[in-house]
Amino acid sequence: MPQRLIPAFALAAATTFIASTAAASSGDAWESFRAEVSEKCLAAAASLEKASAVVDPFGSESFGLALVIGTPKGSDTAVTQICVFDKQKKTVELGGELTPDTVNIAVPTKAQ
């Protein structure tokens, strides 16, 4: 193989890789990611009634992040829990219940 063709092949391979990475980060892929984080976090927060999740749109490099807001069964006071979704293992962990005097967060209303 002629020496001057090697850089051309390397450039073509890099371009293909970058294009496939961009496709993996499409709007549909991010929407699917957010839906998965929300679903798993809400399922993990089974002790909360009327729970809702506010998902960080992209999370961190390794984790999906969300705030789960709801009322513990038998209580009138809403609490917030931090939910961490492991992108590789597809598992979640919840933090402790943060009361309104610790954190004040309002769930945004959905646009209609």
Side-chain angles (χ1 to χ4, degrees):
M1 176 181 299
Q3 288 292 86
R4 61 179 183 242
L5 287 180
I6 293 174
F9 284 125
L11 179 61
T15 302
T16 301
F17 174 75
I18 290 169
S20 67
T21 302
S25 298
S26 71
D28 288 343
W30 284 117
E31 187 59 38
S32 176
F33 164 74
R34 288 187 286 275
E36 182 177 18
V37 171
S38 179
E39 179 184 326
K40 296 249 182 168
C41 288
L42 290 171
S47 66
L48 299 181
E49 295 179 333
K50 299 179 184 175
S52 61
V54 179
V55 179
D56 180 312
F58 307 105
S60 71
E61 186 173 332
S62 302
F63 302 100
L65 307 166
L67 297 174
V68 179
I69 304 160
T71 307
K73 293 177 181 170
S75 175
D76 293 332
T77 304
V79 297
T80 301
Q81 291 182 288
I82 299 169
C83 180
V84 180
F85 170 82
D86 187 307
K87 290 180 178 180
Q88 293 293 322
K89 297 177 185 174
K90 305 288 185 185
T91 58
V92 297
E93 290 187 29
L94 290 175
E97 295 177 353
L98 303 172
T99 58
D101 61 329
T102 306
V103 62
N104 185 8
I105 298 173
V107 178
T109 57
K110 292 186 179 184
Q112 296 193 14

